[in-house]
Amino acid sequence: VLVSTWELVDEVLHKPELYSSALTSGVLKNDRPLIPLQIDPPEHGKFRKILDPLFAPKRMKALETSIAALVNELIDGFIDRDEIDFAKEFSVPFPTQVFLTMLGLPLNELPELLAMKDGIIRPHEVVGEPLGHPDTDAYQTATAASIYAYFTKTLEDRKAEPRNDLLSWFLEAEIDGDHLTGDEILDICFLFLIAGLDTVSASLDCFFSYLAQDPQLRSAIASDPPSIPFVIEELLRWETPVMAVAREAKHDTELGGCPIKAGEQVLAMIGSANTDENNSPDAGAVRFDRKINRHFGFGGGVHRCLGSHLARIELRTALRLWHERIPDYHIKPGVELNFTPGVRAVQTFPMILHKGRE
């Protein structure tokens, strides 16, 4: 059942007692539900109680200086060149390095971790066969096993030698006086790997592909940095890097006049809802002067994105520093960017840079 309007998508996302998030357990070849994504209330709440403070606004704000340093370091690596691959040289390494540092994972293992992430989210692209093909399923299954093995070993290392990172913190965390079990920590880590290494990268791909085609907007960003938060919110609404989220009906029900049977999959098309005229004026137009901008760019309801505060800081910092240093750029002529479905990212993004202003 496809749900496409703002009102009905909002209803699906805010009724977890009716539309379950647990349906995707096993789809990614995970052994158990990923925490907290595939856990329904009330159990979901106890995990968010532990995880939400880790990504609270004040805590994320404290990372802004180090995030800015990383953005500048990456730009330093290519600013003297005329052409780069934006995906390989910026949109992938930037947020993934931020996240790996938070988890306490070595940066030299980034290629291995990215391969694990793609093997779960995009196995069909790696294998070259469609989803559901035996070779694709086998590759995804093997990748999932490698993720569990990787974090099992890493957590054993942290038990022997704790550090000041999230993995060590998980080992000490408590829920109502009880520690997280080993399996619960593994299920959190599995989710963090595939979510933390992909969604901000995808957002950057979407945002910069749009900005690369609008010289007036690029100039406005460069000359008016305070406008950047409004640009971010509008691009989250208009580009919607994660286009849809799936739920499963727990009981027979009706939605917008459509009968739904228990067990049926309900796909909330958040990209469609974000451009519903009944939600916001001129929803079909891109406007960067919106002071109130409701969107599902980070989902909604109890499963609203855990890392939204971190993502906003990363996106704002990236846009501000990039346009200070490289205010003019465009997609390489003759190139058509190929976005993946689901999470809208590109494997390659040839970009032409113009460093100086005319």
Side-chain angles (χ1 to χ4, degrees):
V1 178
L2 301 183
V3 186
S4 60
T5 67
W6 175 275
E7 179 185 6
L8 297 182
V9 166
D10 188 59
E11 182 174 345
V12 169
L13 296 182
H14 285 85
K15 287 189 174 181
E17 71 281 1
L18 186 54
Y19 302 102
S20 171
S21 296
L23 83 163
T24 47
S25 177
V27 172
L28 301 176
K29 302 301 186 284
N30 44 308
D31 294 340
R32 298 168 302 277
L34 301 181
I35 296 174
L37 179 65
Q38 296 172 344
I39 302 292
D40 289 329
E43 189 180 13
H44 171 270
K46 71 180 186 181
F47 291 112
R48 288 296 292 245
K49 186 177 179 181
I50 273 190
L51 296 172
D52 282 350
L54 296 177
F55 294 91
K58 186 175 181 180
R59 189 182 180 102
M60 296 301 97
K61 182 71 175 176
L63 299 175
E64 194 164 7
T65 299
S66 61
I67 289 173
L70 177 56
V71 171
N72 279 319
E73 179 183 337
L74 290 170
I75 293 175
D76 287 343
F78 53 71
I79 192 163
D80 292 328
R81 288 161 40 207
D82 296 323
E83 181 179 342
I84 66 167
D85 187 320
F86 179 79
K88 291 181 171 60
E89 298 182 69
F90 191 79
S91 69
V92 170
F94 164 46
T96 52
Q97 287 187 44
V98 172
F99 210 77
L100 291 190
T101 300
M102 291 179 65
L103 286 174
L105 300 176
L107 295 182
N108 62 2
E109 294 182 3
L110 178 58
E112 175 188 358
L113 294 165
L114 287 173
M116 290 180 188
K117 179 263 297 181
D118 287 334
I120 295 297
I121 297 178
R122 304 180 180 90
H124 54 295
E125 295 198 357
V126 179
V127 176
E129 298 289 353
L131 290 172
H133 188 280
D135 291 349
T136 305
D137 283 348
Y139 185 83
Q140 193 178 33
T141 299
T143 301
S146 72
I147 292 174
Y148 286 120
Y150 175 88
F151 280 110
T152 296
K153 180 182 183 305
T154 303
L155 289 166
E156 287 299 322
D157 292 342
R158 289 298 186 281
K159 290 178 184 177
E161 187 179 343
R163 303 180 188 176
N164 184 26
D165 57 34
L166 287 184
L167 294 183
S168 298
W169 193 89
F170 290 153
L171 293 168
E172 298 297 325
E174 295 182 1
I175 302 177
D176 298 329
D178 295 324
H179 286 282
L180 293 168
T181 68
D183 283 348
E184 287 170 344
I185 297 174
L186 285 176
D187 298 336
I188 293 170
C189 289
F190 195 121
L191 175 62
F192 274 28
L193 175 71
I194 62 174
L197 299 189
D198 204 62
T199 49
V200 175
S201 293
S203 299
L204 289 167
D205 290 342
C206 293
F207 289 12
F208 276 79
S209 67
Y210 185 92
L211 295 170
Q213 302 173 67
D214 192 331
Q216 290 187 330
L217 178 56
R218 295 196 303 270
S219 177
I221 292 174
S223 61
D224 184 21
S227 70
I228 290 175
F230 301 104
V231 172
I232 296 293
E233 298 308 311
E234 181 68 344
L235 289 178
L236 283 168
R237 184 191 72 84
W238 181 254
E239 289 290 329
T240 312
V242 180
M243 294 294 290
V245 294
R247 299 289 188 264
E248 184 176 288
K250 298 173 78 169
H251 311 286
D252 289 353
T253 186
E254 184 178 281
L255 185 67
C258 175
I260 299 175
K261 298 291 187 181
E264 283 190 322
Q265 189 177 66
V266 178
L267 198 61
M269 310 297 289
I270 59 179
S272 173
N274 281 343
T275 54
D276 186 345
E277 292 284 352
N278 290 321
N279 171 50
S280 59
D282 298 327
V286 179
R287 284 180 41 196
F288 296 103
D289 61 347
R290 298 182 194 271
K291 303 306 180 186
I292 298 175
N293 196 339
R294 296 199 308 168
H295 60 75
F296 290 125
F298 291 116
V302 297
H303 286 286
R304 190 179 184 281
C305 177
L306 177 66
S308 62
H309 301 302
L310 174 61
R312 280 192 168 102
I313 287 176
E314 290 178 299
L315 294 169
R316 291 172 184 176
T317 304
L319 262 68
R320 176 175 59 83
L321 294 176
W322 181 285
H323 290 89
E324 282 180 7
R325 303 185 66 182
I326 309 175
D328 193 13
Y329 52 91
H330 62 265
I331 300 168
K332 185 176 181 178
V335 170
E336 183 175 347
L337 298 180
N338 182 24
F339 285 87
T340 56
V343 181
R344 300 178 55 231
V346 294
Q347 296 296 312
T348 182
F349 187 153
M351 177 185 284
I352 305 299
L353 307 183
H354 306 278
K355 275 75 69 177
R357 300 188 191 185
E358 297 296 327

